[in-house]
Amino acid sequence: ENRAMDADDAFAIFDAGASDTAASYAHSTLAPLIRSFVQQHAGSIASSVDAAGHGEVASSIRCAAAFGVDTEKSAQVVSKRCWDALQDGGAPSSFYAAYALSQLLLGALADTPLAAAALIDRAFILGGPAIVPHECMTLIEEQLASECAPKLLTSAIHRDPEVTLASASPDDGILLSLDGIHLSLERALQRLSQPSAEDFRPFFTRNRPVVIEKAMRRWRALRRWRDFLWLREQYGTRLVPVEVGSLDAAHSQRTETRALIMRSSSEWREQIMPLRQFIDVFILSAAPGPTPPERAGAADEDAALCDCEAKDGCGSNVHAVAKRPRHAEAAMGAAQAIAGSCVRAQTDAVALPVGYMAQHALFEHLPSLRDDFEVPSLCSLGKLQHVNAWFGSARTITPLHFDSYDNLFAQVVGYKYIRLYGNDQSQYLYVQQGGGSGLRAQGNISSVDVEQPDLDRFPLFEQAEYTEVVLGPGEMLFIPAKCWHYVRSLTSSFSISFWF
C-alpha cells in the first residue's frame, strides 16, 4: 500500500525538487521498501568494501544509507567509483554489491517508473537476486504496467520456423539428419510420456538421462513465448544481460578452451541492453518474420534507459558488463554453465551477430513470467535450487561440461542438439585442470571441441561413448548431476533449466 510521508521523514529527500508526477512516484511503496533493505545491508557491504582497502567508497556508502541531504550525491559517487573499477578489472567482489546498492538508492530517487526500472535492473544484473528485494521486481512491473504500458501495436506474429528434418533410412540406423547432425538409433535416449514421480525415480536414482514428453502441455509459455513480438511488447524496455559475438569472430578463436578464451577476447563481450533491442538484433534479424513497428522515440528511450551508465563512464546505450559474476555459480561455489554464451561459427560465409541471454535468473528479474509455466513436479525428488532462462539466437553453443546439480532442462521455443557423456567417460574427455579458484579449477570442463574434435591432440576422445537428442518445444531432458553435456541451438531458442 502507499504510505504518506511526514515532513521530517528521512526519505523526504526524495521529494526535493521533484515534479508533481515525480513526487507522487517517490511516495510509492518502492522508496520505503528500498530504505528498509538498505538499512539492513549497507553496514555489512560498507565493512566489506572498507576491509578491501577502499575506505572512501565505504564512507560514501554509509553517507548514502543515512538518507540525508547527500544521499543522491553519495550514491552517484559509489556508482561511478564501483563501475569504473569493475570496468578496469581487479575490483574486489564487494564492489558488485556496493554498485547494486547505489543503483537501488538512485532507483528510489528516480522521476518515473521507467527510469527506476532501468536502475533497479542494473542492480539486479550486477548484484544478483540476493541484493535486490524480490518485492522490488514485482512492484516495478506493476508500476510499469499501470503508468507506462508499452504502446507498440501490432497484429503481426513472429513464428520461429519448424526445423525441417531430412529423410533418413531406419535401415542405416539413422533416426534423422539435420544441420550436420546424424542421430543414430543406438545413441537415442529413452523417452517417458507424462511420467509420475515413481516412473521417473529409477532414472533419477541411477543418474540416467531421459527425455520427458507431454509434461509441459499446460504451459502458457509454449504459446506465448513463440511470439517474440509479444515478449518485445510486454518487456521490451527492461534491461537484460546479453552475451554477444559474431560467427566469423567466434570461428577465429581456434583454441582448446575456446569458450574461456572468448571471455577475455575483444571479439566477445557481455552487454546490458533493452530486451527489445536484443530481440530485434539477435532474434528477429536472424529468422524470418515481420519487422517490428517502432514506436516514435524508441531509440531515444533506449538511450535514456542506459543514461546512468553513460554518466558512469560508458557512453553507449548498449554497454559492456564489467566481468559480471554468475550469481547462481557464486552461490554454489562452482562455474556451472561455463560459457553458456560461447558463440561458435558453423560457417565462414558471413559475420552474423549471435546473442545469448544465458543462465539468467529472468523469472526473479521479471516475476510475471512465472505465470506462464510450472515447476515440474519431478523436481520434488530433490530440492529445487535455481531456475534460469536461456534465450538466444541460433548457433549458440555451450561447450562440453557438467553441473553440480540434477537438471530438468525444458525446451519452450525452438530446437537444441544435446550430446551427453556419462561421468564414467571422463577419462576420454581431457578435463581441464588448473590451480586457483577459476573455471579450470572446478574440473568440470572438457578441452575437446565436440563436433570438431582434434583427434591428433585428443586421440582418446574417439573412444568416448555418448547419447544424443534434438530437443524440441514441449520436451524436457533430465540431465543428472555430473553428467557431461554439450548443447548447440539449431534455431532461435528459449529454454528453462530447473536445477534441483
Side-chain angles (χ1 to χ4, degrees), residues 190-384:
Q190 188 170 343
R191 290 174 174 262
L192 297 176
S193 180
Q194 289 183 286
S196 66
E198 290 310 307
D199 294 332
F200 174 64
R201 189 182 298 277
F203 295 88
F204 177 73
T205 57
R206 297 171 188 170
N207 293 318
R208 288 176 53 193
V210 64
V211 176
I212 296 169
E213 301 174 326
K214 300 181 180 179
M216 300 165 57
R217 300 173 83 176
R218 295 192 301 176
W219 288 21
R220 194 162 56 183
L222 289 175
R223 301 182 301 275
R224 278 190 169 181
W225 299 1
R226 283 177 61 85
D227 183 355
F228 297 137
L229 293 184
W230 179 84
L231 289 170
R232 185 185 189 277
E233 179 175 347
Q234 295 297 316
Y235 303 100
T237 61
R238 302 303 297 275
L239 300 181
V240 294
V242 179
E243 299 172 342
V244 176
S246 64
L247 290 185
D248 60 349
H251 188 67
S252 68
Q253 303 296 326
R254 303 297 303 175
T255 69
E256 65 179 271
T257 319
R258 177 182 298 134
L260 300 180
I261 294 298
M262 288 183 71
R263 285 193 176 281
S264 61
S265 169
S266 61
E267 302 293 349
W268 180 91
R269 61 199 182 280
E270 188 171 44
Q271 299 177 341
I272 296 175
M273 66 181 69
L275 180 63
R276 67 179 172 214
Q277 188 166 355
F278 166 63
I279 290 175
D280 290 350
V281 174
F282 299 104
I283 306 299
L284 295 182
S285 66
T291 299
E294 274 296 346
R295 292 185 290 110
D300 292 339
E301 189 175 83
D302 284 352
L305 290 175
C306 293
D307 182 56
C308 178
E309 292 310 336
K311 293 175 182 176
D312 284 347
C314 184
S316 170
N317 69 311
V318 180
H319 52 280
V321 180
K323 301 183 183 297
R324 180 177 66 94
R326 292 195 178 281
H327 307 296
E329 293 172 6
M332 292 181 280
Q336 291 282 358
I338 6 161
S341 59
C342 176
V343 287
R344 193 190 69 191
Q346 302 300 318
T347 175
D348 292 320
V350 290
L352 295 176
V354 180
Y356 208 3
M357 186 199 305
Q359 196 182 321
H360 181 49
L362 185 66
F363 311 112
E364 294 174 80
H365 191 169
L366 305 176
S368 59
L369 283 173
R370 298 178 204 165
D371 297 336
D372 292 343
F373 66 92
E374 302 170 353
V375 174
S377 60
L378 302 179
C379 292
S380 63
L381 293 183
K383 181 180 179 181
L384 188 66

Side-chain angles (χ1 to χ4, degrees), residues 21 25 71 191 215 239 259 263 272-273 314 416 446 479 484:
T21 301
Y25 178 58
T71 289
R191 290 174 174 262
L239 300 181
R263 285 193 176 281
I272 296 175
M273 66 181 69
C314 184
K416 284 183 172 175
S446 170
I479 306 175
W484 294 90

